[in-house]
Amino acid sequence: MLILQDTTEFIYSRAQPGKIGFTKTINAGRYKAGQPNVLTLCGVLMHSSLAVTLTGTPLGLTAVKFWTRTEFKGTLALKRHINPTRVPIETKESYRWLENLRQSIALVGAPERCVHVGDRESDIYELYCTAQDLGTSFLVRVQTNRLAERPADAGPHDPANRVFTQLAAAPWAGRHRITIDQDETTWLRVKFAAINTLPPVGKQKRYSPQVLTCIHALEEDPPAGREPIDWKLVTNLPVEDLSVAVEKLGWYALRWKAEVFHKVMKSGCRAEEARLETAERLAKFLALIAVVSWRIFFVTMSARAKPDAAPDSVLTFAEITALDQIDASRTRPRLQRPTLAAYLLQIAMLGGYLARKQDPPPGNMVVWRGMTRLHDIAFGISIGSSRRCG
């Protein structure tokens, strides 16, 4: 299974933002006198680990961390005073990546089955070492051009002691065609190389070198007005041929599921409309919303992955009963087959889905609206069917 790690922030407007905390500062333009208008945003940050299958069906949350910042200092300001590569990872905010990795492994209990997927923010050498110690795997998009062991045939002035240099010297393994949108496809050139990667200079006494596989995918002939697809990934999994490299690219493409999960929390469950006044209360509320958002996501993707499955494999008895009674009240029943896809379609139509032939499959937002209305109907049915005394 894939463990998708990602960070998001929930922004709130409060008269006393200090009770919650802050997330970041933004440049809001300039005042009339010319001074910069820098705003500090009030909110809560969340770092989540979402477990999904290799086809993208969300299985659940394996770890979640909430926090706020009492004082925000930009990264550039910090770099003027300290070298980030020499600071212990335990004192950094990025330690959350390692914490979630450990918590996920403790919950799942099978580290060899997990592949931890992260964006460029998770390009942390300590994370690679932690995954190696725990016997698990990772797939991360590369941000840093790390030190590498110089090849034996390299000259004294050859800059081959960097990962990107050695990866650039590797031959292209082949081409792979991908679909970007419904009507757009493109070709990627793919290469890969196993590179003996060294830890940062200030941490070479604490951490050991690792043989990591780097994968590079570069788009051929990108259209005008769009940045070309240029992915550099690193993993501790073996990559022997082009098909395995393409498989890893597909796994990393599923990282977007974590973004969709956060969108369900914000747009569907409206997590940023909460009026709670403290960070502790908001964290409890967001933890509840996270579970609800996962279930919406799970119901939607399960119907796409297994449309002919039984509805009771995903939906509750009360939800199925309410849908059956709604369908029985129609002059022309719609539930011709008792499949998960048929029941999800009815839920989506309660949320405003039109179900036209050219429409795409129901999405998370319309399923969220439909589930909200379905639960109201199911509650009304339960009240009407209950016996009354007197």
Side-chain angles (χ1 to χ4, degrees):
M1 74 179 70
L2 305 179
I3 308 295
L4 313 179
Q5 290 200 44
D6 194 36
T7 304
T8 190
E9 56 191 30
F10 300 91
I11 305 302
Y12 302 97
S13 178
R14 296 291 187 272
Q16 296 179 317
K19 291 184 177 181
I20 295 177
F22 305 97
T23 58
K24 63 180 180 181
T25 59
I26 61 171
N27 184 4
R30 293 182 177 274
Y31 294 106
K32 292 183 179 180
Q35 301 94 336
N37 180 18
V38 179
L39 297 179
T40 304
L41 299 182
C42 168
V44 177
L45 295 105
M46 182 183 81
H47 186 75
S48 59
S49 295
L50 180 69
V52 302
T53 64
L54 298 184
T55 58
T57 302
L59 301 176
L61 291 166
T62 57
V64 176
K65 177 181 175 61
F66 298 99
W67 78 100
T68 62
R69 297 168 177 143
T70 56
E71 182 180 2
F72 183 82
K73 294 182 179 179
T75 305
L76 295 178
L78 287 175
K79 287 183 177 179
R80 297 191 188 102
H81 304 285
I82 58 175
N83 185 352
T85 62
R86 297 180 181 271
V87 177
I89 187 66
E90 294 81 5
T91 63
K92 295 182 179 180
E93 195 175 271
S94 55
Y95 189 59
R96 66 185 186 274
W97 295 91
L98 280 69
E99 289 181 315
N100 273 33
L101 187 146
R102 292 192 179 97
Q103 292 177 17
S104 299
I105 293 300
L107 179 64
V108 175
E112 68 281 357
R113 294 183 54 200
C114 301
V115 179
H116 300 265
V117 183
D119 58 10
R120 283 175 284 195
E121 191 179 357
S122 65
D123 183 13
I124 306 169
Y125 196 85
E126 291 86 345
L127 184 141
Y128 305 158
C129 296
T130 301
Q132 192 74 17
D133 295 339
L134 295 176
T136 191
S137 305
F138 61 84
L139 179 64
V140 171
R141 190 171 179 185
V142 176
Q143 176 178 249
T144 305
N145 188 11
R146 299 191 179 278
L147 293 171
E149 183 176 314
R150 185 184 296 272
D153 56 350
H157 301 290
D158 189 351
N161 64 331
R162 291 287 178 174
V163 168
F164 288 177
T165 304
Q166 296 189 20
L167 181 60
W172 294 103
R175 302 166 71 233
H176 175 61
R177 189 175 185 177
I178 62 171
T179 301
I180 299 178
D181 292 323
Q182 292 182 351
D183 301 326
E184 182 181 0
T185 61
T186 188
W187 285 93
L188 301 178
R189 290 190 296 170
V190 182
K191 67 167 62 176
F192 57 90
I195 301 174
N196 192 5
T197 308
L198 304 179
V201 174
K203 299 180 181 180
Q204 292 185 356
K205 293 182 179 180
R206 183 176 179 182
Y207 301 104
S208 307
Q210 293 197 46
V211 178
L212 304 177
T213 301
C214 295
I215 304 171
H216 187 195
L218 181 62
E219 183 179 7
E220 295 181 346
D221 302 323
R226 178 174 65 79
E227 291 292 330
I229 298 174
D230 188 2
W231 284 0
K232 291 185 178 75
L233 309 180
V234 61
T235 180
N236 60 347
L237 293 166
V239 179
E240 299 87 2
D241 52 34
L242 176 63
S243 62
V244 179
V246 169
E247 178 188 50
K248 303 302 180 287
L249 293 173
W251 290 0
Y252 183 78
L254 290 175
R255 195 200 67 81
W256 185 252
K257 298 292 183 180
E259 306 281 356
V260 176
F261 166 68
H262 293 152
K263 180 183 177 182
V264 176
M265 291 186 66
K266 296 179 180 181
S267 300
C269 298
R270 301 176 182 177
E272 292 181 316
E273 295 183 12
R275 305 307 301 168
L276 301 172
E277 294 292 336
T278 65
E280 181 181 1
R281 294 175 180 176
L282 279 172
K284 294 178 181 178
F285 169 75
L286 293 174
L288 176 62
I289 290 298
V291 177
V292 176
S293 301
W294 162 78
R295 186 164 187 272
I296 299 297
F297 196 12
F298 172 67
V299 170
T300 305
M301 299 309 298
S302 295
R304 297 184 188 180
K306 296 182 178 180
D308 295 328
D312 57 2
S313 62
V314 173
L315 302 175
T316 64
F317 176 78
E319 292 168 343
I320 295 174
T321 302
L323 288 171
D324 289 339
Q325 294 192 29
I326 293 172
D327 192 62
S329 64
R330 297 189 177 103
T331 56
R332 297 178 60 184
R334 299 172 180 171
L335 290 174
Q336 304 296 333
R337 297 177 58 200
T339 63
L340 177 59
Y343 276 78
L344 180 75
L345 180 61
Q346 301 310 308
I347 295 174
M349 293 179 71
L350 288 175
Y353 182 68
L354 299 179
R356 296 169 296 191
K357 291 184 178 180
Q358 70 274 18
D359 287 340
N364 293 285
M365 296 300 105
V366 72
V367 172
W368 159 253
R369 293 195 297 266
M371 289 288 284
T372 303
R373 189 178 178 191
L374 176 62
H375 278 238
D376 291 339
I377 296 173
F379 182 65
I381 292 174
S382 65
I383 294 175
S385 60
S386 62
R387 295 183 178 181
R388 299 182 180 179
C389 299

